[in-house]
Amino acid sequence: MQFPPIKKNVETMPVQPNLLDYEHTCATFSWDEVRRSFDGLPESGGLNIAHEAVDRHADGPRREHIAIRCLSKDNKIVEFTYGDLKEGSNRFANLLNKLTVTKGERVFWLAGRLPALYPMFFGTLKNCNVFCPLFAAFGPEPIFQRLERGDARVLVTTERQYNKKVAPHLPQLPALKHVLLIDKEEDLNEQVLSLPRLLETSSSLFTIPPTDPEDMAILHFTSGTTGMPKGAVHVHNAVLTHAVTGKYVLDLHPEDIFWCTADPGWVTGTSYGIIAPLLHGITCIVDEADFDAERWYRILQDQRVTVWYTAPTAIRMLMRTPPEQRQRYDLSALRLIHSVGEPLNPEAVLWGKHVLGLPIHDNWWQTETGGIMIANYAALEIRPGSMGRALPGIEAAIVTRTSAHSVRVEEPDIKGDLALRVGWPSMFRAYLHDEERYRKCFIGEWYLTGDLASRDKDGYYWFFGRADDIIKTAGHMVGPFEVESSLMEHKAVAEAGVIGKPDPVIGEVVKAFVVLKPGIKESEDLRLELIGFGRTRLGSAVAPRELEFVGNLPKTRSGKIMRRLLKAQELGLPIGDISTLEESES
Ligand code: AMP
């Protein structure tokens, strides 16, 4: 069913949107001009995200403005002004320097949305080290994989996370020299130190060393269909995209109170939960707790949130609550709602309009793009179900591969691979230690995103699905191979095939099909044991929620599991000509 477009009337908006004339802005846009609008480092003139997002404001009229307001699970508030953040991050940068952490070395974070993150994030960038976040709901295995592949030199975490998930693997991580515990007043030993103790004696003065815009700044792990997680490398120059999208897509204005619900373990949580709003010198809300409808409405009301960036799973969970619940809250401060991470169904866009009083603006991007690439904009018509139009400065297209080295750019309304012309500032620069996988993402001038979509004649993009077997569950990306490998470590398991099973609320549920070793009998106890085994190793964000025993798994001639066939069987879809099922690799 086609939903009618949602027209906008700029005259009645409480704030004039930053992007009014889309065509003109696209036609006159220049990344060089954006680059010139940045301050640059005072002495060396280089480009460092921490200077642009924090120090620039701390040294100017916004010094006392609240940059970050953290709400704890038990409703305590910790705030950082821009001045506080400058000093706190200087302390952390000095500490890294003292620990002789050198340029380009990786500093990992594993502690969720806690206040200590913010000085640590910017201090890492100031010392020209690389920030790498880990999702706190990961189990020991995904954490170990990433610490190892990312050559972690420092890990900042809590005592509980450390004991439960990191300590057992420590001997296998020789590069990891220091674990800094944010909630411990004394050191555990020479390697596991108390962060508060170290910060006490660390100076609050620090000069950011010369930083090249192409220096590595952030490493975000993402999942592929085959193989283990990929570390997408981002550089300081990405800050140009963060600034432009903050202005044109999120439509940030100086007095905004902005709430991005994403966890910093994922790219949205850093690009938009930290960098973009601070570049614009505004106040950013951070909630430590997980989703809870009542709590979220209360935060929107009490914090007077003006711009809200959230995700389809959360919106669909809110849609399940009775409308009267929302009626109890005053959401009059809110003027814009954005969503990202999974397809946003048109019903959700309209629900926003009817129940929250504002339509929801869907936008599209991914870990590799570093920032929003396609969006619905405050002043422009929304076509419910569409991800919107390309950001000014970004050339997107629908392409079809014509050979290993060439693509054909398709006409409107043809389904194909969503591609972006290379060269935008926040484009990932590598998959760490995996040159071949990186190279495979590009054909000529185009980066192929792995998504299938179409574009209508007005340039609105419509999402169809992934071209590979990657699973999106509650907005989190899960690589089936990682889950299969982990299940196969159980003594009863001969083989496992893992798929995303469509779910009306969380998008997809991770489902495993398991072949048992000869002589082992299927039983409900064993099924539950395997689910528990997955949860303990992989963590709740990754482990299969459903598990079914099967006699065998469908395979290609070369022996690879045909996950798409498993999925078709699960959904009761016609299996069709299986010889055309490609072996996807990404
Ligand atoms: P990640 O790298 O974890 O941020 O995931 C990126 C992937 O999420 C994209 O390649 C899409 O498959 C999916 N995605 C992100 N935003 C949207 C959206 N607005 N609509 C549909 N899928 C999306």
Side-chain angles (χ1 to χ4, degrees), residues 37-58:
S37 71
F38 279 84
D39 226 25
L41 289 174
E43 276 149 40
S44 61
L47 187 70
N48 188 300
I49 294 173
H51 173 79
E52 304 300 332
V54 176
D55 290 10
R56 189 168 53 93
H57 301 301

Side-chain angles (χ1 to χ4, degrees), residues 341-343 362-367 451 463 466 472 477:
E342 320 150 54
D362 187 17
N363 57 63
W364 176 95
W365 60 293
Q366 51 181 201
T367 306
D451 283 353
F463 181 81
R466 290 285 308 174
K472 261 279 166 128
M477 212 175 227

Side-chain angles (χ1 to χ4, degrees), residues 459-474:
Y460 280 76
Y461 284 84
W462 302 77
F463 181 81
F464 285 99
R466 290 285 308 174
D468 55 25
D469 298 334
I470 284 178
I471 301 165
K472 261 279 166 128
T473 176

